[in-house]
Amino acid sequence: MATSKEKLFVSYALLVGIPLLGVVSVLGAGRSLTAPLSVAGSWDLQIDSSFPQPQSCITSLGFHNPTVLDISQSGRYLTLTLNGQPKVELEGTLQGKTVAANLATPFKASCDGAARLSLTAEVDSKAAPRMMSGILKFDGCASCGSVNFQAVRQGLPTAKRSE
Amino acid sequence: MLNLTTLVLQIAVIIVVARTVGVLFRQIGQPQVVGEMVAGILLGPSLLGWAAPAASAALFPSSSLGYLNALSQVGLILFMFLVGLDLNPNELKKEKHAAILTSHVSIVAPFFLAALLALYLYPRLSDESVTFTGFALFLGAAMSITAFPVLARILTERNMQRTTLGTVALACAAVDDVTGWCVLAYIVIVVRAHQSTRPLWLTLTGSLTFALVMIYGVRRLLRGFEVTFRKQRHLSENLIALIVLLALLSAFITEWLGIHVLFGSFLMGAIMPKDRTFVRYLTSKLESTAVVLLLPVFFALTGLRTSISLVKGPALWFCCALIILVAIAGKFGGSMIAARIT
């Protein structure tokens, strides 16, 4: 019959040793995984200068050039805040290099009633500092349609993997 | 700069809300400490900050939380000293095999499940600036660490801290958390090498040396307190101050070593003389300030810093639920299997 010390030793090997080996194996297996690009931080967003309509959706949202775009990131899930007057918050995702975000509720534009704002952009992961370019689209507003923009990330170096 | 009026008002509001919610929780059979943490959530950005942002900003300006946190840490040091003081070493000796196996399994089992979960979460919740190893180790450490003060408070509330079950649970939690802090120190080295304040070897060897010196050296010197107490039937204020000072010094050393203040104060309490009259006397001198005034601030602050609104959308709620499920399965399942075997 096994003594209590032998029982402890066997239990220890089974319950501690095997999971520990499992942790080491999982850490090895996970090295091949890739995480989404890093886009978190503040960006200087420059709206296409050929879009200076005084009563456009842009002015309704209090944008000026450049406007600061703050991105809060949890992996592929993003919250984008356009720091106009008032601040506008969009919810979005990052798929590969593409950022897609929407304003959940329509806003009242001075040009053409209510409109919905959506943002689509492509991130240039090789640029340092990181850049993206894309379109702000005003769905439901016949006068504005969409406007191109470019954004440059402030202050953060391009992230590098150490693995 | 510290606004004393704001600080006093904050403490008063926290005590009233924490006591009220705590009592309500007790009435439904839940620990008061859980109610105190829920009180913090109600007072924080999740409810008060969302429903009345101006009132929230006036009552809990972010610049003031540092002072509140410092005060709550002092309360935690005193409380963990009292928990250590009440620890029954004879019960622990009887159940040492159960304590060793259960504590180690309750670290490794959640760590393994967390590493598996990291395979799913890393491509979804991380970004390229964090390596998979760093992400998985962090998730593992977060899931394997026991909320030591919460456990201690629950056992104290239910008067279980001197029972065999309570003693083994406290010992397991202490081992878990010291290991967890060492793993965190390692992660800081792996992930943020340039921000590491001290090398891992110093944390490991320093913690072990400190524990041995305390158990085999300092403990003998502390018997003088018990001898004096037996002769005089009380301790002078100077001696009480000296005991508090020793708890603070011990907390300072463990914090400096890169583990947490709470282990130092807990260890100092654990090696104090265990005569029942002495323990009761010392407890009566310190308990009210720690448990009634300062500790609710610590637990409420945990909730105050929680913003539930940051979890947005069904996908993130699913990840949140998954993390909670795996954490419970790993910790509860691992501990239960080990405890049953021993």
Side-chain angles (χ1 to χ4, degrees):
Chain A
M1 199 175 154
T3 65
S4 70
K5 273 191 182 173
E6 283 168 349
K7 192 178 160 190
L8 179 73
F9 181 77
V10 173
S11 308
Y12 201 90
L14 283 174
L15 295 174
V16 179
I18 292 174
L20 212 54
L21 285 174
V23 171
V24 175
S25 312
V26 172
L27 290 181
R31 280 171 193 263
S32 57
L33 292 175
T34 50
L37 292 171
S38 164
V39 292
S42 293
W43 298 67
D44 285 327
L45 185 141
Q46 192 84 30
I47 291 161
D48 187 351
S49 55
S50 63
F51 199 82
Q53 299 167 29
Q55 292 299 311
S56 65
C57 287
I58 292 285
T59 49
S60 301
L61 289 169
F63 283 12
H64 48 82
N65 260 345
T67 289
V68 174
L69 167 69
D70 287 319
I71 301 183
S72 145
Q73 179 177 18
S74 290
R76 59 170 74 152
Y77 306 100
L78 310 174
T79 301
L80 295 84
T81 309
L82 283 157
N83 288 278
Q85 288 293 337
K87 287 183 177 181
V88 176
E89 202 174 270
L90 299 98
E91 297 294 330
T93 54
L94 174 68
Q95 297 289 349
K97 291 180 178 178
T98 308
V99 175
N102 291 294
L103 186 64
T105 50
F107 69 97
K108 193 173 174 356
S110 49
C111 48
D112 200 9
R116 278 183 186 274
L117 172 65
S118 64
L119 178 152
T120 314
E122 201 73 13
V123 180
D124 181 353
S125 58
K126 287 179 183 159
R130 192 153 277 180
M131 296 172 74
M132 69 173 146
S133 51
I135 299 170
L136 285 170
K137 200 171 171 191
F138 302 98
D139 291 325
C141 177
S143 333
C144 294
S146 60
V147 55
N148 294 329
F149 74 87
Q150 281 213 319
V152 180
R153 185 155 74 169
Q154 303 170 355
L156 277 171
T158 311
K160 283 179 184 168
R161 285 178 69 91
S162 57
E163 277 185 347
Chain B
M1 198 176 149
L2 171 65
N3 183 336
L4 209 52
T5 323
T6 308
L7 186 66
V8 171
L9 192 64
Q10 286 172 339
I11 295 171
V13 169
I14 286 174
I15 288 176
V16 170
V17 180
R19 283 263 137 201
T20 310
V21 183
V23 167
L24 290 175
F25 267 68
R26 264 217 315 244
Q27 284 185 348
I28 57 167
Q30 291 301 308
Q32 185 169 333
V33 62
V34 179
E36 287 172 0
M37 286 192 286
V38 171
I41 292 174
L42 299 180
L43 290 171
S46 305
L47 186 69
L48 185 66
W50 170 74
S56 173
L59 187 57
F60 296 106
S62 52
S63 59
S64 72
L65 294 184
Y67 300 107
L68 212 53
N69 183 43
L71 208 59
S72 76
Q73 293 295 327
V74 174
L76 183 67
I77 289 171
L78 287 178
F79 176 66
M80 291 315 295
F81 171 75
L82 292 174
V83 171
L85 185 67
D86 224 8
L87 192 76
N88 187 345
N90 293 329
E91 288 293 339
L92 193 57
K93 274 181 199 159
K94 277 194 282 180
E95 299 293 339
K96 64 181 176 193
H97 287 175
I100 290 170
L101 187 66
T102 309
S103 65
H104 288 181
V105 175
S106 70
I107 296 167
V108 175
F111 214 108
F112 172 60
L113 291 183
L116 278 178
L117 182 63
L119 291 171
Y120 174 77
L121 293 180
Y122 180 69
R124 288 164 179 79
L125 294 186
S126 186
D127 65 58
E128 59 180 339
S129 61
V130 180
T131 63
F132 176 79
T133 305
F135 183 83
L137 289 179
F138 178 78
L139 202 62
M143 286 197 188
S144 55
I145 285 178
T146 306
F148 193 17
V150 178
L151 174 75
R153 185 78 196 275
I154 292 172
L155 292 172
T156 311
E157 268 180 51
R158 305 204 164 178
N159 210 19
M160 290 171 69
Q161 73 275 27
R162 284 188 71 82
T163 62
T164 306
L165 178 64
T167 308
V168 172
L170 282 171
C172 291
V175 173
D176 280 11
D177 281 17
V178 170
T179 312
W181 284 104
C182 289
V183 172
L184 273 180
Y186 174 68
I187 295 166
V188 170
I189 290 164
V190 169
V191 180
R192 297 270 182 270
H194 57 287
Q195 289 177 7
S196 175
T197 49
R198 60 189 58 77
L200 181 64
W201 67 264
L202 182 63
T203 302
L204 289 172
T205 54
S207 304
L208 190 65
T209 310
F210 176 67
L212 291 174
V213 168
M214 291 287 275
I215 293 166
Y216 295 106
V218 178
R219 189 165 67 156
R220 291 172 189 204
L221 302 175
L222 297 175
R223 285 177 194 157
F225 288 116
E226 191 183 344
V227 173
T228 310
F229 178 76
R230 276 190 187 151
K231 279 183 194 161
Q232 300 175 354
R233 307 309 303 163
H234 78 284
L235 291 176
S236 68
E237 283 185 359
N238 283 340
L239 284 179
I240 302 269
L242 183 59
I243 290 172
V244 172
L245 206 63
L246 288 171
L248 291 174
L249 179 66
S250 182
F252 171 83
I253 292 171
T254 50
E255 178 73 17
W256 184 83
L257 283 170
I259 47 178
H260 196 276
V261 284
L262 65 88
F263 300 107
S265 54
F266 175 74
L267 188 57
M268 181 55 80
I271 61 167
M272 276 277 158
K274 296 297 170 190
D275 175 76
R276 282 307 292 155
T277 329
F278 174 78
V279 168
R280 270 205 295 269
Y281 176 81
L282 205 50
T283 303
S284 70
K285 289 282 175 191
L286 301 172
E287 194 173 31
S288 298
T289 315
V291 175
V292 177
L293 179 69
L294 299 175
L295 210 56
V297 178
F298 173 77
F299 291 116
L301 205 60
T302 312
L304 262 170
R305 287 183 293 213
T306 305
S307 183
I308 292 170
S309 60
L310 287 176
V311 187
K312 289 174 180 165
L316 283 179
W317 275 110
F318 175 71
C319 291
C320 180
L322 205 57
I323 290 169
I324 292 171
L325 193 73
V326 171
I328 292 172
K331 202 74 182 168
F332 191 73
S335 310
M336 191 182 68
I337 292 168
R340 276 202 174 275
I341 286 175
T342 51

